[in-house]
Amino acid sequence: MTRDDKTSEDRAGKDRATEAPATVPADDATRSRHSKLSIEILDANKAYYAASSPLMDDAAYDARFQELQALEARHPELLTDDSPTQRVGAAPAAGFAKVRHARPMLSLGNAFSEEDVAEFLKRIRRFLNLDEAEELAICAEPKIDGLSASLRYERGRLVQGATRGDGLEGEDVTRNLRTLDDIPDVLPGDVPDVFEVRGEVYMSKPAFQALNEAQMAADKPAYANPRNAASGSLRQLDPGITARRKLNFFAYSWGEVSALPASTQSGVLQALDRWGFTVNPLTRNCTSLAEIMAFYRDVETRRATLDHDIDGVVYKVDRLDWQDRLGFVSRSPRFAIAHKFPAEQASTILRGIDIQVGRTGALTPVARLEPVTVGGVVVSNATLHNEDEIARKDVRIGDTVTLQRAGDVIPQIVGVIIEKRPEGTEPFVFPTVCPVCGSHAVRDTRASGELDVVRRCSGGLVCAAQATERLKHFVSRNAFDIEGLGAKQIEAFFAAGEITTPAEIFTLPRRNDDLKLETRDGFGKTSVEKLFKAIDERRTIALDRFLFALGIRHVGQTTARTLAATYRTLPALLDALNAAVKDPEGEAHQDLINIDGIGPTVVTELMEFMAEEHNRTVLDDLLGELREVEPFEAPAQDSPVAGKTVVFTGTLETMTRDEAKARAESLGARVSGSVSKKTDILVAGPGAGSKAKKAAELGILTLTEQAWLDLVNGA
């Protein structure tokens, strides 16, 4: 398992967000920090997965990721699909055919302490309503630091091998995977008709050393670590090169299957072993937190003696029926978690503090450091979060600071080594004006009466930094994803006054007689043709991508997808928003708030966006350049509740509320928090009150818990 798993959102944090939503909306500073973390981690994912060239080590990545998860846990409205916690990896690289995974290749949540593991076990018991006396078996295995791959067997024969890619779509590397001795071409006769084996491709330490020696002998750059070497070797267009690189494969999971050979995780692993796959021999079952931690410590002590890299231990609920009930949250399973080994630290000198301005106007301090190697990666920048954090740690230019790699592209400053502080240093004075446009930079007052932790430029669209960052967001991978139009190009076009709004991106081709892009540095005839082709292809875009690209505060990928799934078409959504703006107390406004996962904060931002004349002009101009914003199409569901809006009320007796909601959503239903005339089904347990009464008044189908279970189970 790799950063595909370790990069995963800390499921612990995500589930805590579900169980205990914050009562106070996130302030601007928090929202700014969330946005910055998301962008940095997505960049890191792209470098790590698509280019096999990490921008940071795993510890740094994990720290950033954990901070992002904590923000989303405290403020569920920040949970967005632009958040890396909603994505896995990066899009496939060019050169290989694309493979759409029949079942998404999801990542794992992270645990960093015994307390995190204990909370993971408690969440499982709460979700399944298990008492402490009932045994909870956990299948534990070392977490391999390699490249995730999927092997599809039909009637026992390998027909396709693919990388994880972005979790939904990977690269077809079948020919390369066939060169691995650990991957059989044909399985024994007792295997199911369809069985997709998933596992980790890795390079052993001896093979890695031999490869780098060969690289240096040929005057070629050495690989940074075995994981990068494995990724680069597997993704060679020439399978002969892959064969010479001596890769290995550990099997640990499965994707689409026509049948399973056992009822437990450990039982399936035993079957994989019988079929000829290599299964990690250190894997064992544990039935208590004490056993789990003893196994973790044992594996950690063996780490240096293993012939392959590991970066933690993975825990999975052993019973598969319980795995099915637990299901998934966003991009991670509830039934599994990765327990990471401790992050590495180093010390260096803080040479300066720069202030960066994001697309929402947030002023973010970034530490400029004397370059230092942490975990095999040279680090020269680190986050300082906000001005309160600088003051709390009393960080001063010239200080020797402790640095921890546990996050995104920019690692984290843990603290200051005071005894090494030079004489004459002064506390850092945070600017009160925007360093880009000179507008006042202010800290808003939260609903609680406290100051926002983020200081924000008040310049709005006057601020060039905000304008360019919004355009960068518009063309980013999860938005319009216009190939050939990246951050540098956007900055250059904006500086020249040639792209100042999204619509002007689409007018570039017809303005090129005047612009003559092919004559400019960085462009040529072929690259300009490719750019214009990419622009034209994006004149048709999915509704959820379109909404995300608008850059409305709090509307990330998850929220955009929720809105798209609810209203299905852009005209329907715009009609609802316009109606809500005209009548903030009306039905349209209430319908928006009632959407599960939306809430008042998001609705307020949507309404403010629609009420601003400039935004409406930008939107109209953009729509005038597009062919179609495609209606949202939910995945086909063979379910009697697919597409229906369901409300749960009262006390559920056979399952927890979280399990009921998860089950409904997995069947294609939409779960709402309140009853309206758009509600299709009310599931009412004992103690149902006003919701049941309102459902009766509206003539809405009301079911008991057992009747609901009979319906969804086909009884």
Side-chain angles (χ1 to χ4, degrees):
M1 295 158 224
T2 70
R3 183 177 295 173
D4 311 318
D5 305 305
K6 65 192 156 219
T7 200
S8 58
E9 59 187 303
D10 181 23
R11 181 43 42 210
K14 195 66 90 51
D15 282 352
R16 284 193 290 271
T18 301
E19 293 166 5
T23 57
V24 179
D27 51 44
D28 285 348
T30 302
R31 291 192 289 267
S32 174
R33 179 64 183 160
H34 179 275
S35 176
K36 179 177 176 57
L37 285 169
S38 298
I39 293 170
E40 290 176 345
I41 293 174
L42 291 175
D43 287 343
N45 281 347
K46 179 179 179 182
Y48 183 89
Y49 291 98
S52 301
S53 179
L55 296 174
M56 71 197 79
D57 65 17
D58 291 342
Y61 185 94
D62 289 337
R64 262 298 191 264
F65 214 101
Q66 191 178 25
E67 182 186 352
L68 189 67
Q69 292 163 336
L71 289 178
E72 293 176 347
R74 291 193 299 271
H75 308 286
E77 74 271 18
L78 295 181
L79 187 54
T80 66
D81 275 327
D82 73 315
S83 168
T85 65
Q86 303 302 294
R87 300 182 67 247
V88 181
F96 292 98
K98 305 296 190 294
V99 173
R100 190 78 176 176
H101 299 303
R103 289 181 58 185
M105 294 186 71
L106 300 178
S107 63
L108 298 181
N110 284 336
F112 297 93
S113 65
E114 182 173 347
E115 290 74 19
D116 289 344
V117 178
E119 179 58 29
F120 167 67
L121 299 178
K122 289 177 182 177
R123 286 199 309 273
I124 291 170
R125 289 188 178 277
R126 286 196 299 267
F127 191 94
L128 298 176
N129 202 23
L130 305 178
D131 60 43
E132 290 300 323
E134 190 160 5
E135 183 177 276
L136 174 58
I138 299 294
C139 183
E141 61 183 315
K143 186 173 181 297
I144 310 301
D145 193 9
L147 179 72
S148 294
S150 178
L151 311 168
R152 183 179 179 85
Y153 289 84
E154 295 180 0
R155 294 183 174 83
R157 293 186 174 276
L158 177 62
V159 297
Q160 188 175 72
T163 62
R164 182 192 297 268
D166 63 3
L168 300 176
E169 188 176 72
E171 300 164 328
D172 187 339
V173 289
T174 308
R175 295 195 305 157
N176 301 42
L177 287 168
R178 288 186 188 276
T179 68
L180 276 64
D181 293 338
D182 292 330
I183 297 178
D185 284 324
V186 181
L187 303 184
D190 63 338
V191 299
D193 286 345
V194 175
F195 202 97
E196 185 182 330
V197 179
R198 290 180 176 176
E200 204 77 2
V201 175
Y202 68 96
M203 180 175 287
S204 69
K205 294 174 184 176
F208 173 68
Q209 182 177 352
L211 173 61
N212 269 351
E213 288 174 355
Q215 290 286 104
M216 289 185 286
D219 289 328
K220 294 180 180 179
Y223 284 94
N225 53 56
R227 192 274 167 194
N228 290 352
S231 176
S233 300
L234 182 62
R235 299 168 68 252
Q236 294 288 326
L237 296 178
D238 179 3
I241 298 177
T242 303
R244 294 192 294 272
R245 297 285 178 86
K246 296 182 180 180
L247 299 177
N248 295 97
F249 180 80
F250 269 126
Y252 58 71
S253 187
W254 57 93
E256 183 181 25
V257 298
S258 56
L260 283 168
S263 60
T264 61
Q265 178 80 26
S266 54
V268 176
L269 293 181
Q270 291 168 10
L272 292 172
D273 181 63
R274 291 196 306 272
W275 295 344
F277 293 97
T278 301
V279 176
N280 199 305
L282 296 180
T283 301
R284 61 168 290 187
N285 271 15
C286 304
T287 57
S288 69
L289 177 61
E291 283 189 33
I292 288 173
M293 293 309 301
F295 178 76
Y296 174 83
R297 287 188 286 268
D298 178 56
V299 171
E300 188 174 17
T301 60
R302 298 187 189 208
R303 184 180 185 185
T305 66
L306 298 176
D307 75 345
H308 52 270
D309 283 346
I310 61 174
D311 59 359
V313 178
V314 173
Y315 311 128
K316 298 177 183 176
V317 172
D318 196 42
R319 281 180 51 168
L320 299 188
D321 60 336
W322 284 358
Q323 286 191 14
D324 288 340
R325 284 177 60 188
L326 286 159
F328 302 86
V329 179
S330 187
R331 67 195 285 277
S332 301
R334 288 190 182 90
F335 57 79
I337 199 167
H339 189 179
K340 305 301 292 294
F341 292 137
E344 294 190 49
Q345 294 185 344
S347 62
T348 188
I349 299 173
L350 175 63
R351 296 300 187 189
I353 298 177
D354 292 346
I355 303 297
Q356 297 180 344
V357 183
R359 68 182 172 90
T360 62
L363 272 60
T364 303
V366 176
R368 302 304 179 195
L369 307 167
E370 187 70 27
V372 62
T373 300
V374 187
V377 176
V378 177
V379 172
S380 57
N381 301 322
T383 179
L384 286 167
H385 302 300
N386 54 61
E387 61 185 285
D388 288 347
E389 187 75 358
I390 295 176
R392 184 180 69 80
K393 294 177 179 176
D394 190 20
V395 179
R396 304 182 184 186
I397 296 173
D399 276 344
T400 297
V401 295
T402 302
L403 190 67
Q404 178 171 289
R405 298 216 49 205
D408 190 285
V409 198
I410 303 179
Q412 176 180 358
I413 288 180
V414 178
V416 176
I417 303 176
I418 296 295
E419 56 269 27
K420 292 187 177 182
R421 171 170 286 170
E423 293 184 7
T425 60
E426 297 288 340
F428 181 75
V429 178
F430 206 89
T432 56
V433 297
C434 174
V436 175
C437 70
S439 300
H440 290 297
V442 298
R443 296 175 66 173
D444 294 333
T445 302
R446 304 175 181 174
S448 63
E450 297 179 351
L451 281 180
D452 193 333
V453 296
V454 170
R455 189 173 293 275
R456 194 176 301 277
C457 168
S458 61
L461 293 176
V462 172
C463 181
Q466 293 184 57
T468 53
E469 290 302 319
R470 290 176 184 179
L471 287 168
K472 291 177 189 177
H473 174 80
F474 182 85
V475 300
S476 65
R477 181 172 298 276
N478 294 313
F480 270 72
D481 190 20
I482 299 177
E483 186 175 353
L485 195 58
K488 291 182 179 179
Q489 288 82 8
I490 286 292
E491 289 173 357
F493 281 124
F494 184 86
E498 294 163 344
I499 293 181
T500 59
T501 68
E504 289 179 346
I505 292 171
F506 293 92
T507 65
L508 274 180
R510 61 177 180 264
R511 288 190 284 141
N512 196 43
D513 286 345
D514 295 327
L515 298 176
K516 295 181 173 54
L517 297 183
E518 60 275 4
T519 65
R520 301 186 183 184
D521 290 342
F523 286 98
K525 182 178 180 181
T526 300
S527 62
V528 170
E529 289 175 353
K530 288 182 177 179
L531 173 60
F532 290 169
K533 180 181 178 182
I535 290 173
D536 189 60
E537 288 174 348
R538 293 300 183 264
R539 293 183 190 274
T540 298
I541 190 169
L543 175 57
D544 55 331
R545 278 181 171 266
F546 177 85
L547 296 175
F548 172 65
L550 295 179
I552 302 171
R553 191 177 296 176
H554 302 313
V555 180
Q557 287 178 276
T558 296
T559 300
R561 187 173 179 84
T562 299
L563 290 167
T566 301
Y567 290 96
R568 304 293 181 179
T569 68
L570 181 61
L573 174 58
L574 293 179
D575 286 347
L577 292 176
N578 286 324
V581 170
K582 291 179 181 178
D583 184 5
E585 304 298 325
E587 181 180 339
H589 181 263
Q590 193 59 46
D591 285 344
L592 281 162
I593 291 178
N594 287 343
I595 300 171
D596 192 58
I598 299 298
T601 300
V602 174
V603 173
T604 297
E605 293 294 343
L606 288 167
M607 292 173 63
E608 289 182 355
F609 179 87
M610 291 302 299
E612 172 58 50
E613 182 177 354
H614 170 80
N615 291 333
R616 294 198 304 272
T617 300
V618 168
L619 186 61
D620 289 342
D621 290 346
L622 175 59
L623 291 174
E625 295 293 334
L626 302 182
R627 279 190 293 270
E628 180 185 17
V629 178
E630 298 175 319
F632 181 85
E633 291 188 15
Q637 294 279 356
D638 184 15
S639 159
V641 298
K644 297 186 181 298
T645 298
V646 181
V647 175
F648 293 95
T649 189
T651 303
L652 301 182
E653 299 177 311
T654 65
M655 55 186 159
T656 63
R657 182 67 62 85
D658 282 344
E659 183 175 356
K661 175 183 172 181
R663 173 74 169 147
E665 291 176 340
S666 72
L667 294 170
R670 296 187 292 272
V671 179
S672 178
S674 60
V675 174
S676 72
K677 66 180 182 180
K678 294 184 179 180
T679 303
D680 297 298
I681 301 172
L682 176 73
V683 180
S690 59
K691 291 180 182 178
K693 181 179 179 181
K694 185 172 182 179
E697 293 172 352
L698 295 174
I700 292 167
L701 174 63
T702 300
L703 300 177
T704 64
E705 183 179 353
Q706 188 57 52
W708 163 260
L709 291 173
D710 290 342
L711 175 64
V712 298
N713 293 329

